Amino acid sequence: MGINEDNKACSRIVEVFTGAYASGKSESAINRALQYAKCGKDITLVDLDTVEPAYCLRPIIGELKEKGIDVIAQTDYFGLGEAGSYVTAEQINCLSKNGDMVIDVGYGASGLDILDILNNIEKENDLRIYLVVNTSKFETRDKDSILEYIEFSSGLNKQPWKKFSGFISNTHLSDETTKEDIIRGYNKLLEVSKITNIPIVAIGADEKFIQEFPDGKYDNVPIWFYTRHMPKALW
């Protein structure tokens, strides 16, 4: 995975990753934070998944910190489903920290409205909100369902800053994923990209596909090769 040149010119970047259940949003967020850390950036990864706290990052906080990532996560409560989760003052005030930030947002009925709890997020000059799309999931299986999910996940509290900056095409079937699955998912999402004018900024793929895409790109879109961490994060 490479960091864009325009990223280097910015003093601060805040990237938000969201998506449907099992879209790979948390894996995308973790690997993106690792990408920044490897480039020597001061990066904080914020776990804001209030829907499925059972899938939170707390079991791998130590490992991520060893790799140069500061992690903010809720570490005291455990829950399944939309159970009315607890968030900490550190999560709410995470944007008071210096440096770049990656925020992992859970799926759910509130969508991007969960970002409203973050103090001063509307003041961020370089806020990028990415929708991670796995077309093997029912919620985002085709053009119409993806368009519906965009509206659903946008939340109810519409604000000028609360909009998607780009898509991450992350079609996968876990260990059964093939190169053809990845390309097929990208082509479905490309159709939506042309309709919405929301660009596909990257294609997510397991690191085992590095040899399948030797140029690190497909259709001139960069491929983010993921090391899988979330299996260790599941309690």
Side-chain angles (χ1 to χ4, degrees):
M1 297 190 298
I3 292 180
N4 295 334
E5 290 299 319
D6 63 327
N7 286 6
K8 296 178 182 178
C10 297
S11 58
R12 176 184 171 96
I13 300 162
V14 176
E15 295 186 346
V16 176
F17 290 79
T18 189
Y21 175 74
S23 62
K25 60 181 182 53
S26 294
E27 204 70 88
S28 298
I30 292 171
N31 278 272
R32 182 62 163 168
L34 285 167
Q35 175 186 356
Y36 281 119
K38 289 176 181 177
C39 290
K41 283 183 168 286
D42 180 11
I43 187 71
T44 299
L45 175 60
V46 182
D47 184 351
L48 203 63
D49 190 341
T50 61
V51 177
E52 293 281 9
Y55 292 85
C56 67
L57 303 181
R58 71 188 82 169
I60 57 173
I61 288 177
E63 177 182 342
L64 294 175
K65 286 186 175 181
E66 289 178 358
K67 296 180 183 296
I69 300 172
D70 190 15
V71 181
I72 295 176
Q74 187 273 98
T75 59
D76 299 324
Y77 291 82
F78 175 88
L80 292 170
E82 301 196 43
S85 299
Y86 167 81
V87 293
T88 67
E90 188 179 23
Q91 287 171 297
I92 293 170
N93 295 302
C94 65
L95 294 170
S96 65
K97 287 180 60 66
N98 294 325
D100 299 317
M101 194 160 295
V102 172
I103 303 174
D104 176 17
V105 173
Y107 70 94
S110 64
L112 295 180
D113 288 346
I114 186 63
L115 296 176
D116 292 340
I117 71 170
L118 302 184
N119 286 332
N120 297 318
I121 190 169
E122 73 283 356
K123 297 179 181 179
E124 290 295 330
N125 293 323
D126 195 357
L127 175 65
R128 308 174 187 186
I129 303 177
Y130 298 137
L131 182 65
V132 181
V133 178
N134 179 358
T135 61
S136 71
K137 305 304 296 182
F138 178 79
E139 298 93 332
T140 51
R141 64 195 180 278
D142 55 25
K143 179 192 70 174
D144 291 339
S145 60
I146 295 170
L147 289 170
E148 288 178 6
Y149 195 82
I150 292 170
E151 179 62 26
F152 167 78
S153 60
S154 295
L156 299 175
N157 183 18
K158 308 300 184 186
Q159 299 291 336
W161 58 268
K162 201 180 293 181
K163 59 184 179 181
F164 290 113
S165 307
F167 293 123
I168 310 296
S169 180
N170 191 46
T171 291
H172 66 90
L173 294 161
S174 190
D175 292 336
E176 298 179 4
T177 309
T178 66
K179 179 180 179 180
E180 290 70 30
D181 293 326
I182 296 169
I183 294 173
R184 183 165 52 250
Y186 168 79
N187 287 331
K188 287 183 180 180
L189 188 56
L190 183 61
E191 186 178 3
V192 177
S193 176
K194 292 176 179 178
I195 294 171
T196 61
N197 289 319
I198 299 173
I200 300 176
V201 300
I203 299 169
D206 190 282
E207 58 188 351
K208 68 182 181 182
F209 289 102
I210 289 177
Q211 300 303 319
E212 301 274 5
F213 299 97
D215 295 333
K217 294 182 178 181
Y218 178 77
D219 196 26
N220 209 35
V221 176
I223 297 177
W224 293 357
F225 293 108
Y226 294 164
T227 299
R228 295 180 65 189
H229 295 273
M230 285 309 292
K232 292 178 287 185
L234 175 59
W235 282 27

